[in-house]
Amino acid sequence: MIEIRALTKRYEDALVLKDIDIKINDGELVLLVGESGSGKSTLLSIISLLQKPTSGAVIINGVHISKLPDIHASRFRSLKIGLVPQSNSLIDDLTLMENLTIPQVPLSHSPKEIEQYSLKALKRAHILHKKESLAKELSGGEKQRGAIARALVNDAKILLFDEPTASLDSQNNEKFIALLRELKDLKKTIIIATHDSRLIEMDFVDKILHIKSGEIDE
Ligand SMILES: Nc1ncnc2c1ncn2[C@@H]1O[C@H](COP(=O)(O)OP(=O)(O)OP(=O)(O)O)[C@@H](O)[C@H]1O
Ligand SMILES: [Mg+2]
């Protein structure tokens, strides 16, 4: 379970997240919907341990992740959380295969295992045919699918997607929705920040959280 308690985030004098309380059960698919600047990406980056909250707590399966020392935080993130950030986050001068190797480094796999897990994730995200391409040679939608593959590579239980369909055409959007259904069947816990009505209308969404100026609007 992901539990967020009395969470706030302040950047200098801007209070970007205000007293957020959320509970998300294992296996749920939750959409985080709100206008630009409402705090969606900030909340996802705190849940994925990339930023610390100003106050409050994020508790994942009983672990207070916002209190983990950095060295433990990075291993916890690799094992438990896959994040697809809003903007391109692949390393431009590495191939997709190389980009997928990086998150596996903390897990001490053999080179053979790293290759197998990378190929499986690339296949799932429908981008296997570009495995040897440098990230900078990919289109926007291909980069997005590469980032999805990278988020899947460690088979993390929690998957966070920040506007995942922003550069997908309708055919790739269908494939993404099919992938979400597959991940839901695998009992992943999924949070998606989105404006996309095609995702909001999916019949297997468990909860829609509306965020407005940093507050959850029930
Ligand atoms: N590093 C930062 N320093 C200062 N302010 C920031 C920083 N990151 C985000 N903000 C501010 O926090 C607020 C929330 O930003 P956030 O990126 O979380 O919004 P969002 O809901 O994801 O928007 P969008 O739909 O445009 O992606 C915005 O007002 C933004 O300007
Ligand atoms: Mg955002």
Side-chain angles (χ1 to χ4, degrees):
M1 188 201 284
I2 303 174
E3 219 183 322
I4 297 172
R5 288 192 200 149
L7 183 91
T8 64
K9 179 67 182 176
R10 178 183 288 283
Y11 293 116
E12 293 171 1
D13 51 2
L15 191 55
V16 175
L17 295 176
K18 301 167 193 164
D19 203 21
I20 303 246
D21 285 288
I22 301 174
K23 273 187 196 167
I24 297 173
N25 292 316
D26 290 348
E28 278 188 330
L29 188 151
V30 174
L31 299 187
L32 188 58
V33 177
E35 62 190 33
S36 181
S38 56
K40 303 182 296 296
S41 296
T42 306
L43 183 56
L44 292 187
S45 73
I46 291 173
I47 297 172
S48 58
L49 291 94
L50 293 175
Q51 289 196 72
K52 288 199 188 291
T54 303
S55 63
V58 179
I59 302 158
I60 296 182
N61 298 337
V63 180
H64 274 257
I65 61 160
S66 26
K67 289 189 187 153
L68 285 177
D70 288 345
I71 183 164
H72 296 301
S74 100
R75 190 174 159 80
F76 186 92
R77 180 170 56 233
S78 297
L79 276 170
K80 310 279 185 190
I81 299 171
L83 169 70
V84 183
Q86 185 164 12
S87 49
N88 171 38
S89 55
L90 298 171
I91 298 174
D92 268 344
D93 289 314
L94 297 183
T95 65
L96 271 184
M97 284 297 274
E98 290 163 346
N99 267 284
L100 265 69
T101 299
I102 294 170
Q104 299 183 71
V105 168
L107 307 185
S108 327
H109 296 320
S110 70
K112 188 75 205 156
E113 286 170 323
I114 289 179
E115 187 187 3
Q116 278 172 358
Y117 293 135
S118 300
L119 292 173
K120 187 174 171 194
L122 289 166
K123 187 159 183 241
R124 268 211 172 132
H126 305 282
I127 193 68
L128 184 60
H129 57 296
K130 292 283 182 181
K131 68 186 163 78
E132 297 303 338
S133 300
L134 296 177
K136 67 182 174 196
E137 297 165 351
L138 301 175
S139 73
E142 288 169 347
K143 282 181 187 163
Q144 209 152 20
R145 282 180 278 146
I148 290 170
R150 191 189 49 189
L152 299 178
V153 78
N154 285 342
D155 202 23
K157 183 84 177 65
I158 297 173
L159 297 170
L160 309 175
F161 296 91
D162 199 346
E163 309 268 4
T165 55
S167 14
L168 299 186
D169 58 29
S170 61
Q171 197 187 357
N172 278 306
N173 193 67
E174 291 293 315
K175 287 184 187 163
F176 179 70
I177 291 177
L179 171 64
L180 285 179
R181 205 182 281 276
E182 200 182 302
L183 295 171
K184 170 94 175 138
D185 290 342
L186 292 169
K187 310 270 186 274
K188 304 287 186 190
T189 307
I190 304 167
I191 309 177
I192 311 173
T194 188
H195 300 280
D196 192 336
S197 58
R198 297 172 299 186
L199 298 186
I200 295 169
E201 286 158 10
M202 295 187 307
D203 60 3
F204 54 101
V205 172
D206 293 296
K207 221 186 273 180
I208 300 184
L209 298 172
H210 294 271
I211 181 165
K212 196 173 171 190
S213 309
E215 286 179 282
I216 297 289
D217 201 13
E218 293 292 346

